[in-house]
Amino acid sequence: MGIVIAQEFLSRRYEARRWSLAAVFHFSCYVALVILPFITAYNSRSLWLNEKTGREQPEVHFQHEVLVLAQGSNPSEQFSFSTSPSVNALFGDDMRAMSIRTSEQDVNNDGRPELLHVEISIPLREGEEISGITVLVGLEYSLQDTARFTTNATAIVHHSAGSSGSSLQYYGDLELRQHRALPSISEGTNGPSVLLGVSLATSAAQLAPAALIGRDMAYLDA
């Protein structure tokens, strides 16, 4: 067997035009090596991170769902209104058309309103007075930064007094109360709608304020 004095490997080089199908495929492979890991890391929400704590201002909007139950000074006198025509039909003569005006106020111009104003006007005839009122307003509550989460929320106002009044102003804060960590990816809208179940009622007696408030409290405790 002879002695190897030198060794040279044979190599082949393949070239293609810049915009040929082979060149485009070659470039796409390089792009995929950068883009696909980025997409995987983004959708996995920090890859193997199991739990994270953060603070975020939610985005809250009016859902155009309102239910108003007003009690007159006479126990037999009631004024009721809903944004659902089928619910209004249950009220019969107690249904009173009302004016509802809403506005959102973004104080710091960050695209997420800090204040939601809801104004409800009840037209009264001569001699009519209101001594108590229950109002349910449907809201949409969503988070986008720390967790992707959207749920229905119900703002409840209940006031009763021994004497009638000409107006009522109510201020409140909307807070999220959770029993477990939120999923990193939204699983759809949660929470009961304001008119969920209300539209299935067969009589006005099923729309008593105590029953409506109890329904929402039962959902919170579930």
Side-chain angles (χ1 to χ4, degrees), residues 70-79 127-132 162-164:
Q71 177 65 52
S73 56
N74 189 329
S76 62
E77 211 171 36
Q78 293 185 347
F79 314 102
E128 293 180 336
E129 296 178 339
I130 294 178
S131 60
S163 59
S164 60

Side-chain angles (χ1 to χ4, degrees), residues 3-160:
I3 300 175
V4 178
I5 304 300
Q7 185 174 349
E8 180 179 356
F9 294 97
L10 176 65
S11 64
R12 293 182 180 180
R13 181 177 179 179
Y14 298 91
E15 296 184 356
R17 295 190 302 273
R18 179 171 299 179
W19 299 110
S20 65
L21 182 61
V24 171
F25 176 77
H26 184 72
F27 177 76
S28 300
C29 290
Y30 276 106
V31 173
L33 289 176
V34 177
I35 300 298
L36 290 181
F38 175 78
I39 295 176
T40 302
Y42 178 79
N43 289 331
S44 62
R45 309 296 287 182
S46 301
L47 292 180
W48 294 281
L49 184 66
N50 292 327
E51 189 172 318
K52 180 181 178 182
T53 302
R55 296 179 62 88
E56 176 185 346
Q57 177 183 329
E59 189 167 349
V60 180
H61 296 287
F62 177 61
Q63 280 194 316
H64 304 283
E65 291 186 333
V66 175
L67 179 65
V68 182
L69 303 173
Q71 177 65 52
S73 56
N74 189 329
S76 62
E77 211 171 36
Q78 293 185 347
F79 314 102
S80 306
F81 178 75
S82 167
T83 51
S84 171
S86 60
V87 175
N88 286 334
L90 298 176
F91 294 137
D93 296 336
D94 293 337
M95 201 281 287
R96 180 68 58 90
M98 303 179 188
S99 173
I100 301 175
R101 293 188 295 180
T102 63
S103 62
E104 297 177 351
Q105 185 176 354
D106 186 1
V107 179
N108 55 6
N109 297 318
D110 63 347
R112 298 183 180 183
E114 283 75 33
L115 299 174
L116 174 63
H117 302 275
V118 179
E119 181 179 341
I120 301 175
S121 300
I122 305 176
L124 298 177
R125 303 185 182 95
E126 185 177 356
E128 293 180 336
E129 296 178 339
I130 294 178
S131 60
I133 189 170
T134 299
V135 179
L136 278 72
V137 178
L139 306 173
E140 182 186 68
Y141 181 105
S142 62
L143 302 173
Q144 298 295 333
D145 299 336
T146 306
R148 300 175 186 176
F149 176 75
T150 301
T151 186
N152 295 320
T154 303
I156 303 175
V157 175
H158 179 69
H159 176 79
S160 180

Side-chain angles (χ1 to χ4, degrees), residues 134-208:
T134 299
V135 179
L136 278 72
V137 178
L139 306 173
E140 182 186 68
Y141 181 105
S142 62
L143 302 173
Q144 298 295 333
D145 299 336
T146 306
R148 300 175 186 176
F149 176 75
T150 301
T151 186
N152 295 320
T154 303
I156 303 175
V157 175
H158 179 69
H159 176 79
S160 180
S163 59
S164 60
S166 60
S167 65
L168 173 67
Q169 294 184 352
Y170 210 94
Y171 302 90
D173 296 324
L174 180 62
E175 298 180 352
L176 174 64
R177 181 182 301 175
Q178 60 186 88
H179 297 279
R180 58 184 180 274
L182 298 176
S184 59
I185 300 178
S186 176
E187 299 178 351
T189 301
N190 302 282
S193 171
V194 170
L195 299 181
L196 178 64
V198 174
S199 58
L200 301 178
T202 57
S203 65
Q206 297 176 340
L207 304 178

